[in-house]
Amino acid sequence: MTGPIKLYLSDFYIRRLSVSALALNVILFLFLLIFIRQSNVPIVLHYNVDWGVDYLSEVKSVFILPLVGLFILLFNNLLAIRLWSRSAILSYFLASTALVCQIFLALAGIALYIINS
């Protein structure tokens, strides 16, 4: 399986998209680890403009964001590797979609930080 992976990662744009998405995921994890206070007090995980706070939970629940992002990144890249030999355009689409998902998850993490400050 190293042949298709090497071929997939030899492309400059794919490598750049994948590394950027992984870096955003790691930055999100570290951001949440450093800036969200670790305590026994529940934190706000969802805020609705109409009704206010909808969902409170433990602090460790906030790490679901980077976990979901990592799952999306791995799934999209594995699927893109399988499709690389047949259609490079679909692989570019999957890799860029993983990056866009990481950007939105990072924005959600920043919003959680602002709400809980």
Side-chain angles (χ1 to χ4, degrees):
M1 186 89 179
T2 58
I5 294 173
K6 259 187 188 175
L7 187 62
Y8 174 73
L9 290 176
S10 67
D11 186 62
F12 174 75
Y13 295 110
I14 292 290
R15 191 172 50 242
R16 187 169 224 177
L17 287 168
S18 298
V19 168
S20 299
L22 184 63
L24 265 176
N25 193 298
V26 169
I27 289 169
L28 174 63
F29 176 76
L30 292 175
F31 175 79
L32 293 174
L33 186 66
I34 293 169
F35 289 108
I36 300 290
R37 290 184 211 137
Q38 305 294 322
S39 66
N40 293 332
V41 179
I43 63 170
V44 176
L45 290 180
H46 188 261
Y47 182 83
N48 190 334
V49 177
D50 293 330
W51 295 295
V53 175
D54 283 5
Y55 186 60
L56 294 168
S57 186
E58 298 176 5
V59 175
K60 63 183 177 183
S61 297
V62 80
F63 295 109
I64 291 174
L65 282 177
L67 185 64
V68 167
L70 186 63
F71 177 73
I72 290 170
L73 178 65
L74 290 176
F75 181 76
N76 278 8
N77 277 331
L78 287 176
L79 191 59
I81 288 169
R82 302 235 341 137
L83 293 174
W84 179 254
S85 62
R86 287 182 235 149
S87 175
I89 302 235
L90 286 176
S91 296
Y92 288 128
F93 178 73
L94 286 167
S96 60
T97 302
L99 179 61
V100 169
C101 287
Q102 294 299 328
I103 291 170
F104 281 116
L105 288 172
L107 290 173
I110 292 168
L112 282 176
Y113 169 70
I114 292 171
I115 289 170
N116 289 298
S117 295

